[in-house]
């Protein structure tokens, strides 16, 4: 939530966007800039999507821009390699 207590984005909106992009939970986390372990990435995104954790304003803005303009065609090599991971387990 931001300072005036309005929700920046609903978890269901974030999940809808991820599914519309055809991304796994981990790949979506990487696209949003998370560079942690697969387990941490998946846990974080799942908590956002389930509404268990508020979505930070900066993340909501980035998700909105991706929704409006799509994903970049190419990322730096170290991120491209991470995007080849399989889906999260559990």
């Amino acid at each position: 939530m931001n300072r005036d207590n309005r929700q920046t984005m609903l978890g269901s909106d974030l999940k809808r966007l991820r599914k519309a992009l055809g991304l796994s939970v981990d790949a979506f986390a990487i696209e949003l800039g998370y560079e942690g372990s697969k387990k941490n990435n998946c846990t974080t995104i799942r908590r956002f999507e389930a509404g268990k954790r508020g979505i930070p304003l900066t993340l909501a803005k980035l998700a909105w821009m991706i929704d409006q303009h799509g994903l970049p065609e190419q990322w730096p090599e170290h991120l491209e390699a991470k995007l080849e991971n399989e889906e999260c387990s559990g």
Side-chain angles (χ1 to χ4, degrees), residues 9-78:
M9 175 180 264
L10 296 175
S12 57
D13 293 329
L14 194 67
K15 187 173 187 173
R16 174 200 51 80
L17 173 59
R18 177 179 63 78
K19 290 187 174 258
L21 294 168
L23 296 174
S24 69
V25 177
D26 186 46
F28 191 48
I30 293 166
E31 294 285 2
L32 293 172
Y34 288 91
E35 293 190 43
S37 70
K38 181 188 284 192
K39 181 180 178 184
N40 287 342
N41 286 351
C42 293
T43 299
T44 299
I45 297 302
R46 285 185 175 141
R47 285 180 180 160
F48 289 146
E49 290 182 350
K52 293 180 180 178
R53 186 171 173 194
I55 299 169
L57 180 58
T58 53
L59 183 68
K61 286 179 177 181
L62 179 57
W64 180 83
M65 285 190 285
I66 290 171
D67 193 24
Q68 297 298 306
H69 304 287
L71 291 167
E73 290 188 27
Q74 186 174 359
W75 286 104
E77 286 183 28
H78 75 284

